[in-house]
Amino acid sequence: MRRALIYLMLTVASLVMVLPLLYMLSLSLQTEAETLAAEAVIVPESPQWGNYAELFERAPFGDFIVNSLVVAGAITLAHLLFDPLVGYVFAKFRFPLRNTLFVALLATLMVPFFVRMIPLYVLMAHLGWINTYQGLITPFLMDAFGIFLMRQFIQPIPDDLISAARIDGASEFAIYRRIILPQTRPALAVLGLFTFVFQWNEFLWPLVATTTPEMRTIPVGLTLFNQEYFTLWHLTAAGSVILFVPTAVLFIVSQRYFVRGIALTGLR
Amino acid sequence: MSVLRPRTLSARYARTAYLFLLPAILFFAAFFYLPIGNVVSTSLMTGPQADRFTGLGNYAQALADPSVRHSFLVTVAFAVAVVAGSIVLGLALALALDRPLRGRVAFRMMLLVPYLTSVAIVGLLWRNILDPELGVLNRSLSAVGLPEQQWLNTHPLLTIAAITLWQSAGYTMVLFLAGLQGIPETFHEAAKIDGADGWHRFWRITLPLLAPTTLFVSVMAVISGLQAFGQAYIITNGGPGDATDLSVFHIFNVAFRARDFGYASAQSVLLLVVIVAFTLIQLRAGRRGEVQY
């Protein structure tokens, strides 16, 4: 009886979570008439795959996809390059001002993005970087959370390994590259996944920092497309599916990493 | 000479450390500390170019501006609803899942899926579903003869809070699950032997020992709730009227539609102060209430 109730609750909750997304898929395959029919269509009579082609004709959707890939990809790469290196330094090196710098780093966790939004816009306008890839990418090249995560992960690696390599005459960068980095692989996977998904979904900065359709990322391009063609819901839905598919695929193939990653964020 | 070839080992390590840190120091200086300095200095300026010094004029104006006050109250109400919902829903789902169940991984996966969607998807999808005329919900309700809903007009703030919960409940559930798994089984067994029923065990053992997780969830939900933007921008455009004029949406409009960077900067600083204050209060209250075991 209790067990049945729990199953019921979980099933209802799961349906509430998943059905809207399935409806989005259905909507993306409906004819315009079906999206407006007095009785809502749940399963389209014949799937209109042509909607996806029409979307690319009405908006530079190919550009949106390339922009999203470039921006989210570059930022993810930068995190994977810098976060473990900086985390390693804070985990294993002693140097003057170490604690001061670490506190200054963690303090940036308290700074929400909207605080940086206006000055970053002014800075980018000054540099002529509005509506450019460098303008979209540079504000997110590193973040304190990724560095903190890597530091926590690197700290338990025995110091003896590092000393032994130093005695063998390995250069400091070789120690990082050959000894530390290979051991951080699980943490890097979590870091890479989360960074990519968050940047792929990012909305506010690409909205502020782009001025022409050709430079927009998918979330922004799609939202502004919807404002322009607000009755063409089947096309907006098709764009939403395109935006969702990469994260859904990443999630399905690496569900464990996501769950572990979220749990890690809570273990502070 | 001594800079290039440090004599002691520790000086050499320090040099290496700073070499490795250099890109990070430059990045955080240029993209965090410089902007924070600039948002404060811009907040003291006025005019379309934000180049006339006005001292605390923008702050005085913001504190007296009814639309700023209104949007702040709306934002706090929104954040409170999201926090309460996150804790109740996240904990309920976690408690349901924290046992051997068939299909446990599948349930967890389905519940977590909306968390991966962009606010653009969340906003557009729910605006479509809830649209009074074109929305699938009303077209289905009227087809079966049920009364139609107008939730985005009658309860706009609660509706966008609920939509936000749809996206974030899976995330808080996973946090609570991790918290539940950290509670040693022996406590529950001991209480069972002492004759405590499930209800008592929840209130006396589970909930107090989950306090750190609950604290973390509420801090995160307050921080993200107070800076919600896409919900207002995409779903309601701040309306109807100004019913969902969330603070960051308000700031965005002052900055990029009215082009008053000085006034918008002052409002950003004020909201930042509120967020930091909320966080510190919660952390202090949480530390006092923490249970040791």
Side-chain angles (χ1 to χ4, degrees):
Chain A
M1 178 57 207
R2 240 184 83 116
R3 226 178 154 70
L5 260 170
I6 283 169
Y7 269 111
L8 184 70
M9 170 185 157
L10 286 172
T11 308
V12 169
S14 300
L15 288 177
V16 170
M17 299 300 184
V18 173
L19 282 184
L21 292 165
L22 289 178
Y23 176 68
M24 175 174 94
L25 179 65
S26 151
L27 194 59
S28 79
L29 298 171
Q30 297 183 14
T31 63
E32 194 180 345
E34 281 176 314
T35 68
L36 302 171
E39 190 166 339
V41 174
I42 302 303
V43 180
E45 198 142 309
S46 70
Q48 303 292 309
W49 296 103
N51 288 347
Y52 286 83
E54 197 186 335
L55 179 66
F56 282 77
E57 282 159 25
R58 290 200 191 239
F61 218 86
D63 290 340
F64 298 169
I65 295 175
V66 171
N67 297 338
S68 274
L69 283 173
V70 169
V71 172
I75 292 170
T76 306
L77 212 66
H79 278 241
L80 292 178
L81 267 172
F82 291 117
D83 289 359
L85 182 64
V86 178
Y88 168 52
V89 172
F90 281 118
K92 294 297 181 190
F93 280 78
R94 306 198 153 276
F95 53 92
L97 293 179
R98 182 174 85 154
N99 290 344
T100 312
L101 286 175
F102 194 58
V103 170
L105 175 74
L106 291 186
T108 65
L109 284 172
M110 293 281 274
V111 183
F113 180 72
F114 73 84
V115 179
R116 298 195 293 148
M117 171 176 75
I118 295 167
L120 280 176
Y121 178 85
V122 174
L123 176 70
M124 294 300 169
H126 205 73
L127 294 169
W129 284 7
I130 294 295
N131 218 32
T132 64
Y133 283 141
Q134 58 270 36
L136 289 172
I137 292 167
T138 47
F140 301 105
L141 282 178
M142 296 175 217
D143 77 353
F145 182 71
I147 293 169
F148 182 74
L149 184 78
M150 296 313 297
R151 173 183 169 269
Q152 298 301 88
F153 201 85
I154 291 170
Q155 226 156 21
I157 297 176
D159 290 345
D160 296 350
L161 276 178
I162 301 167
S163 322
R166 277 191 184 133
I167 290 163
D168 288 347
S171 77
E172 288 297 329
F173 191 74
I175 294 173
Y176 166 70
R177 180 77 191 64
R178 303 263 165 72
I179 295 171
I180 303 297
L181 207 52
Q183 302 204 40
T184 62
R185 228 170 257 153
L188 283 180
V190 170
L191 178 68
L193 276 172
F194 271 79
T195 309
F196 186 83
V197 169
F198 272 101
Q199 293 303 327
W200 181 261
N201 290 338
E202 167 67 24
F203 187 70
L204 183 49
W205 180 241
L207 176 70
V208 169
T210 58
T211 52
T212 62
E214 289 72 26
M215 278 309 293
R216 284 174 194 148
T217 55
I218 308 175
V220 174
L222 183 64
T223 303
L224 299 183
F225 171 84
N226 176 264
Q227 289 179 356
E228 201 175 336
Y229 298 97
F230 62 95
T231 54
L232 302 183
W233 276 109
H234 53 309
L235 300 189
T236 293
S240 306
V241 171
I242 295 174
L243 173 57
F244 181 54
V245 162
T247 49
V249 170
L250 278 178
F251 179 55
I252 290 165
V253 299
S254 52
Q255 207 233 138
R256 269 163 207 287
Y257 282 113
F258 273 102
V259 173
R260 197 185 304 160
I262 293 173
L264 272 179
T265 66
L267 287 181
R268 273 192 264 178
Chain B
M1 190 65 198
S2 66
V3 175
L4 290 174
R5 264 170 215 267
R7 266 174 236 139
T8 64
L9 264 179
S10 67
R12 216 187 73 193
Y13 294 150
R15 198 186 58 163
T16 309
Y18 271 99
L19 199 66
F20 285 175
L21 281 184
L22 192 62
I25 292 174
L26 292 177
F27 171 80
F28 284 100
F31 292 101
F32 275 88
Y33 284 95
L34 179 70
I36 293 166
N38 283 346
V39 79
V40 173
S41 65
T42 308
S43 74
L44 306 175
M45 302 294 193
T46 188
Q49 304 295 321
D51 53 4
R52 266 189 307 120
F53 185 75
T54 168
L56 296 176
N58 286 321
Y59 291 95
Q61 192 188 339
L63 294 174
D65 185 339
S67 75
V68 171
R69 224 178 296 165
H70 170 79
S71 100
F72 176 69
L73 291 178
V74 163
T75 308
V76 170
F78 173 83
V80 167
V82 171
V83 171
S86 296
I87 292 176
V88 172
L89 209 59
L91 184 55
L93 291 171
L95 285 170
L97 266 188
D98 187 38
R99 67 191 77 230
L101 277 180
R102 204 172 308 153
R104 189 167 173 271
V105 174
F107 278 129
R108 192 179 62 185
M109 206 160 161
M110 288 190 283
L111 293 167
L112 196 52
V113 159
Y115 176 63
L116 302 167
T117 57
S118 170
V119 69
I121 294 180
V122 178
L124 293 169
L125 179 58
W126 282 98
R127 198 159 60 102
N128 174 274
I129 291 173
L130 298 176
D131 187 284
E133 279 101 47
L134 302 177
V136 64
L137 190 58
N138 272 2
R139 289 190 291 138
S140 307
L141 288 174
S142 65
V144 295
L146 287 169
E148 298 186 354
Q149 53 77 31
Q150 296 274 344
W151 294 329
L152 281 172
N153 289 321
T154 54
H155 302 90
L157 199 62
L158 266 183
T159 307
I160 61 170
I163 293 170
T164 306
L165 278 179
W166 175 78
Q167 187 187 22
S168 65
Y171 168 73
T172 43
M173 172 196 75
V174 172
L175 290 176
F176 275 120
L177 265 177
L180 285 173
Q181 275 151 18
I183 298 177
E185 199 45 46
T186 46
F187 287 119
H188 283 285
E189 278 159 14
K192 257 187 225 172
I193 292 167
D194 289 345
D197 60 13
W199 190 245
H200 270 97
R201 274 179 281 141
F202 172 74
W203 285 104
R204 294 292 167 81
I205 297 175
T206 311
L207 209 54
L209 291 180
L210 269 184
T213 310
T214 314
L215 174 67
F216 180 75
V217 167
S218 60
V219 170
M220 294 297 282
V222 167
I223 292 176
S224 67
L226 288 178
Q227 53 177 311
F229 167 78
Q231 291 86 333
Y233 183 87
I234 300 169
I235 306 175
T236 61
N237 197 24
D242 54 5
T244 55
D245 189 24
L246 298 175
S247 285
V248 175
F249 181 67
H250 190 88
I251 292 169
F252 172 89
N253 284 330
V254 172
F256 298 108
R257 289 188 176 145
R259 288 273 156 187
D260 192 344
F261 281 5
Y263 195 28
S265 296
Q267 292 178 39
S268 304
V269 173
L270 287 174
L271 184 59
L272 173 67
V273 169
V274 170
I275 290 182
V276 171
F278 258 110
T279 309
L280 294 179
I281 290 169
Q282 278 178 297
L283 289 178
R284 175 153 304 177
R287 212 160 286 146
R288 200 173 305 147
E290 218 164 271
V291 184
Q292 304 289 329
Y293 64 95

